[in-house]
């Protein structure tokens, strides 16, 4: 849907330049930067330091990010199947974040950065540490606003969710609005 929206809004030559730079090159470079700490660890081969507790924490973080993404995607899929496509999901992890699947992905990349610190690679090459923070920034500044804009147009009650629920991080919903949110979002108080 993103590609189709951009293509409809931009004339052909501008679309192709935008498509190359923003839709293909930028995400590729972001993934490359976020993978760089793990690649340095792998390239150390047998010279790599022995596994330690920071490696265990990095593995838990990366694995936890993958699990968070999977649970969030399963909850959203179940909600859409049960409720249809017009309601806004505010159950499970989606009550704590408007985009818990994106949060999980960012946590995964942070886990890979943890391996870079554990091996000493990130300390030796500080630029290796920019990939994971850039991923967080990209999701918060680009992906979240795009998805929120689309959801505001397509989902009942999404304005309520935008006011009450954290955009990316898992965080308790806000105030009085949070207590009324499930009723408003699921169409019972239309």
């Amino acid at each position: 849907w993103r590609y189709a929206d951009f293509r409809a809004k931009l004339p052909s030559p501008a679309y192709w330049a935008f498509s190359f730079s923003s839709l293909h090159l930028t995400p590729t470079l972001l993934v490359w930067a976020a993978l760089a700490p793990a690649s340095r660890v792998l390239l150390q081969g047998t010279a790599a330091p022995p596994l330690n507790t920071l490696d265990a924490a990095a593995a838990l973080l990366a694995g936890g990010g993958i699990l968070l993404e999977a649970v969030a995607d399963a909850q959203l899929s179940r909600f859409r199947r049960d409720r249809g496509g017009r309601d806004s999901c505010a159950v499970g992890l989606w009550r704590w974040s408007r985009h818990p699947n994106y949060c999980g992905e960012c946590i995964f990349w942070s886990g890979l950065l943890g391996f870079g610190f554990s091996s000493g690679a990130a300390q030796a090459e500080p630029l290796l540490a920019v990939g994971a923070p850039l991923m967080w920034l990209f999701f918060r500044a680009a992906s979240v606003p795009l998805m929120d804009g689309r959801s505001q147009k397509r989902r009942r009650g999404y304005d309520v969710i935008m006011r009450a629920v954290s955009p990316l991080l898992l965080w308790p919903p806000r105030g009085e609005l949070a207590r009324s949110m499930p009723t408003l979002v699921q169409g019972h108080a239309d």
Side-chain angles (χ1 to χ4, degrees):
W1 65 266
R2 289 179 185 130
Y3 298 163
D5 282 353
F6 287 126
R7 190 167 197 162
K9 292 176 186 173
L10 297 170
S12 188
Y15 169 76
W16 290 110
F18 176 80
S19 175
F20 174 73
S21 64
S22 298
L23 303 179
H24 298 287
L25 183 61
T26 299
T28 300
L29 292 174
L30 284 169
V31 169
W32 178 81
L35 281 172
S39 71
R40 287 295 191 274
V41 172
L42 293 173
L43 290 173
Q44 288 177 344
T46 57
L51 294 175
N52 58 49
T53 52
L54 190 51
D55 286 309
L60 284 172
L61 197 60
I66 292 169
L67 181 62
L68 178 61
E69 278 185 271
V71 169
D73 287 343
Q75 287 175 346
L76 182 60
S77 179
R78 187 176 329 110
F79 179 84
R80 286 185 177 162
R81 185 183 62 243
D82 295 345
R83 300 276 311 160
R86 300 284 300 152
D87 289 334
S88 295
C89 182
V91 297
L93 295 169
W94 297 87
R95 182 173 171 76
W96 292 73
S97 172
R98 294 196 309 262
H99 304 282
N101 48 352
Y102 291 168
C103 181
E105 183 165 344
C106 291
I107 290 171
F108 167 77
W109 295 116
S110 299
L112 293 189
L113 176 57
F115 288 116
F117 278 110
S118 176
S119 71
Q123 294 87 324
E125 298 178 71
L127 280 178
L128 291 176
V130 302
L134 283 175
M135 278 295 194
W136 282 97
L137 180 63
F138 175 77
F139 275 99
R140 181 60 185 97
S143 296
V144 166
L146 280 172
M147 286 299 296
D148 283 348
R150 182 172 192 249
S151 292
Q152 281 181 301
K153 294 175 190 167
R154 299 179 71 224
R155 310 248 182 255
R156 273 188 301 205
Y158 202 75
D159 58 326
V160 174
I161 288 180
M162 296 241 351
R163 289 190 305 271
V165 179
S166 168
L168 186 60
L169 298 175
L170 293 173
W171 199 257
R174 289 183 274 285
E176 182 63 34
L177 193 57
R179 286 186 281 284
S180 64
M181 188 176 60
T183 303
L184 291 171
V185 169
Q186 295 178 7
H188 297 287
D190 287 339

